[in-house]
Amino acid sequence: MRSERERLVRNIGIHQRRMCFGWQCFSDLAVEATGVLLADLGWAREEVDAVIVVTQSPDYLIPATAIILQDRLGLPKTSIAFDVNLGCSGYTYGLQILGSLIASGAVKKGLLMVGDKSATVVDPLFSDAGTVTALEYVQDAPPMYFDMNSDGSGYKAIMLPVGGHREPYGVEHTTPRRDEFGVLRWLDDLVLDGPAVLSFSTQQIPPAVRRLMEFSQMADTDIDYFLFHQANKLINETIRKKLGLSPEKVPSTLADFGNTSGASIPVTMTARLREALLGGRKRLLMSGFGIGLSWGSCIVDIEGAKFPEMVEL
């Protein structure tokens, strides 16, 4: 057992994880984080024009969690509120959506809530986390550059096969069975094709990052930090080495927090770069990738932002 644990730690790079209590939802984490952030920003709740929730762990199948949070947080009824069903690529997608709403003039101040409750006792990979990012319209702000992609032909690589309309829950799903490897599984467990995810991540992300940098006419030296979704050590190190980036420019939180799904980029930003980002203007390239299959990268200049300390419940 010890050698198996050591092998897992070596390959996936995770020493600690975070798990919610059974009664907690992702939305409970988001509510706590929002209260801290709004207080730090000095925003009145009636100023918020939009709430976008990116999660695969909604409170209910319907209605949307964002609409429930609008009421729980005491935000105005004029707020735009909707959910986006995405996982590990979700933060960059959420930034693109909320940024576009602000650029259109429809929104002045908005909240992007990203995270999941995905940790289990037996799975050594995933952690629970909830994050909130506030975006505000500022005249003459530097542009945000995006490169967004999707490939539905790979949808079986990461999926929950049971529980939707394609295969509703039934009595047959309540009994565990052994798979072809002898592992006892419930039919409604998450299915993750490790080799397919590894191949997708390491083949698609490096060229996507280079494509974005070419479009924005930037070189590696123009980027202060590269923030990648924290998938596992093997995937992230392969991407870093393919791009020829130094470890100092690619912070990681895998060891301390595990794979926090769509929240991993803002978790890494807060846990590893908070002091640097409070110290002056920095340019970040962020890249999220995973379920769908979907992947998205963006380049963002950050200056004068607020970064409250991480809250652990």
Side-chain angles (χ1 to χ4, degrees):
M1 181 65 71
R2 180 179 175 83
S3 62
E4 176 67 12
R5 174 177 172 78
E6 290 172 349
R7 183 186 67 82
L8 281 171
V9 169
R10 184 173 63 254
N11 289 337
I12 67 177
I14 295 171
H15 294 262
Q16 301 179 61
R17 296 186 301 133
R18 303 297 197 274
M19 295 182 66
C20 291
F21 290 107
W23 52 265
Q24 284 179 314
C25 296
F26 150 74
S27 62
D28 298 319
L29 306 183
V31 166
E32 190 75 21
T34 300
V36 173
L37 181 59
L38 291 180
D40 204 34
L41 288 170
W43 284 14
R45 300 195 178 216
E46 57 267 23
E47 295 180 89
V48 177
D49 302 315
V51 181
I52 298 174
V53 169
V54 183
T55 187
Q56 295 171 138
S57 311
D59 286 13
Y60 307 98
L61 291 179
I62 52 175
T65 300
I67 297 177
I68 297 173
L69 287 173
Q70 172 272 321
D71 178 64
R72 284 184 66 184
L73 290 167
L75 304 179
K77 294 180 181 178
T78 53
S79 299
I80 300 168
F82 60 90
D83 288 6
V84 178
N85 181 6
L86 276 175
C88 302
S89 63
Y91 189 67
T92 51
Y93 267 80
L95 285 177
Q96 203 272 347
I97 294 168
L98 183 53
S100 296
L101 286 171
I102 291 174
S104 73
V107 169
K108 298 296 183 183
K109 294 182 177 181
L111 299 175
L112 171 63
M113 304 181 183
V114 182
D116 276 300
K117 180 178 179 176
S118 50
T120 65
V121 174
V122 297
D123 192 315
L125 183 62
F126 294 104
S127 280
D128 299 329
T131 66
V132 181
T133 301
L135 294 185
E136 179 180 8
Y137 172 78
V138 176
Q139 192 167 2
D140 300 323
M144 300 166 68
Y145 298 94
F146 291 91
D147 178 84
M148 317 304 289
N149 307 272
S150 55
D151 179 10
S153 68
Y155 79 96
K156 290 185 178 179
I158 313 171
M159 69 179 300
L160 280 172
V162 175
H165 289 284
R166 185 67 62 190
E167 186 168 351
Y169 281 110
V171 175
E172 67 274 18
H173 302 126
T174 62
T175 303
R177 301 177 186 178
R178 295 197 181 275
D179 62 17
E180 63 269 29
F181 304 107
V183 177
L184 197 64
R185 296 180 57 91
W186 273 259
L187 296 180
D188 59 350
D189 282 344
L190 177 73
V191 174
L192 194 155
D193 184 339
V197 174
L198 172 65
S199 176
F200 150 69
S201 303
T202 56
Q203 289 183 25
Q204 296 292 348
I205 306 313
V209 168
R210 289 301 179 201
R211 186 167 61 242
L212 177 61
M213 294 183 70
E214 181 179 353
F215 174 77
S216 62
Q217 299 183 335
M218 294 184 191
D220 293 356
T221 52
D222 296 315
I223 307 296
D224 293 296
Y225 297 101
F226 292 79
L227 289 168
F228 294 101
H229 162 58
Q230 301 293 285
N232 66 47
K233 184 178 179 181
L234 177 60
I235 288 174
N236 285 71
E237 277 296 284
T238 302
I239 291 171
R240 182 185 67 79
K241 290 175 181 178
K242 279 193 170 187
L243 288 168
L245 303 173
S246 66
E248 294 75 22
K249 295 191 73 168
V250 187
S252 174
T253 49
L254 273 168
D256 295 331
F257 294 94
N259 183 329
T260 50
S261 189
S264 71
I265 291 176
V267 164
T268 302
M269 198 185 311
T270 303
R272 296 290 181 263
L273 299 180
R274 180 175 180 269
E275 295 302 322
L277 295 174
L278 288 173
R281 182 168 179 169
K282 294 292 186 294
R283 179 170 291 157
L284 308 181
L285 189 151
M286 312 178 198
S287 185
F289 48 90
I291 200 164
L293 298 167
S294 60
W295 62 108
S297 303
C298 65
I299 295 175
V300 179
D301 283 23
I302 295 180
E303 184 176 20
K306 298 284 189 177
F307 281 88
E309 291 187 4
M310 188 175 294
V311 178
E312 298 205 52
L313 303 180

